[in-house]
Amino acid sequence: NTIRKVFIMIEMKVMGIALDTRTGSPIVVLHDKENRKALPIWIGSAEASAIIRKIENLTVSRPMTHDLIVNLIEKTGYELEKIEINDVEKETYYATLFLKDNDGNVLQIDSRPSDAIAIAIRIDAPIFVTANVISNGSVSTDSAKDEAEAQEFKNFVQSLKPSDFEKLMKDNEHHESDQ
C-alpha cells in the first residue's frame, strides 16, 4: 500500500517585475486568476531581463538563453506542457518543467523558478504553483485584515516601470551577446 501525495495546484500569471528597494534585487511577481494572491520570488538580473523582454515584446537579433531553450525543446519534438513551482525551503523556490512528446510521454526537468517562468511566458505555457508554496510566500491582495500589507505591496509593484530596468537589460544583453 503506497502513500501518494496530492498537491493542490493554482494557475498563476506573471504580474510583472519589481525591484527590491532594500537590496536592488529583481522580483518576479505572480498572481492568481482572481487577483487575490500575489507571490513575489526574488530572482537574478539576467532572468529578470529575459522576463521583461518578453513582457515588453522586445526582440534581439540573436537568440538569448531562454529563447535557445525554447528552440531546443521544440526542435527535439517536445512541447512545454506546463511549469510547476512546487516547493520552497528556506526562501529557495523549486520548479519543474513538464515536457511532452508526440506519444504523450512526459519528461520532468528540475529548474529554478525564474528560468521556468522565462521559458513558459515565451510560449504561453501555464504556470502552476502548489498551494503550500502560495501559503508560505504569497501576499494577500484582497483581505481587509492584511489591507495595509497588501496596499504597500501593490504600491511597490505598481510604482515600477519597464524603464527602471533599461540599464539592467542592457548590461545583461552585453554579457550574453557574442562580441
Side-chain angles (χ1 to χ4, degrees):
N1 210 0
T2 60
I3 297 173
R4 188 171 168 234
K5 286 185 179 180
V6 177
F7 294 103
I8 297 169
M9 292 285 174
I10 293 108
E11 187 169 359
M12 300 191 91
K13 299 280 185 193
V14 175
M15 180 187 289
I17 296 286
L19 196 64
D20 186 332
T21 53
R22 296 165 301 155
T23 65
S25 297
I27 305 167
V28 62
V29 183
L30 303 177
H31 67 93
D32 64 350
K33 288 182 174 181
E34 292 79 30
N35 214 14
R36 296 175 62 198
K37 290 283 187 185
L39 178 66
I41 301 175
W42 277 252
I43 62 174
S45 58
E47 295 77 22
S49 176
I51 292 167
I52 292 166
R53 265 196 307 278
K54 180 57 184 169
I55 291 170
E56 295 295 310
N57 287 318
L58 302 174
T59 56
V60 290
S61 59
R62 302 291 298 139
M64 301 297 269
T65 304
H66 298 96
D67 305 312
L68 173 65
I69 292 169
V70 167
N71 290 342
L72 285 168
I73 291 169
E74 291 173 347
K75 298 285 186 196
T76 55
Y78 285 87
E79 68 171 276
L80 181 60
E81 183 179 39
K82 64 181 176 178
I83 70 160
E84 288 181 1
I85 300 170
N86 45 30
D87 203 4
V88 58
E89 189 176 305
K90 296 179 184 172
E91 297 181 20
T92 299
Y93 289 83
Y94 297 86
T96 304
L97 301 172
F98 288 78
L99 305 181
K100 190 158 90 172
D101 69 10
N102 292 333
D103 297 326
N105 301 313
V106 176
L107 291 176
Q108 294 184 31
I109 300 174
D110 184 34
S111 173
R112 296 182 306 172
S114 55
D115 290 321
I117 292 166
I119 293 165
I121 65 171
R122 278 165 168 68
I123 51 177
D124 292 321
I127 299 168
F128 288 97
V129 182
T130 56
N132 68 306
V133 169
I134 290 174
S135 67
N136 284 329
S138 70
V139 176
S140 174
T141 55
D142 71 343
S143 164
K145 180 184 86 162
D146 300 322
E147 197 171 315
E149 179 187 9
Q151 193 55 51
E152 182 183 344
F153 185 72
K154 281 183 182 176
N155 293 342
F156 172 60
V157 171
Q158 290 169 353
S159 69
L160 291 143
K161 306 173 290 304
S163 59
D164 295 339
F165 289 89
E166 282 177 7
K167 183 182 183 317
L168 175 73
M169 291 172 62
K170 284 181 179 145
D171 289 349
N172 282 304
E173 284 174 17
H174 174 71
H175 292 302
E176 284 197 25
S177 64
D178 292 333
Q179 298 175 359

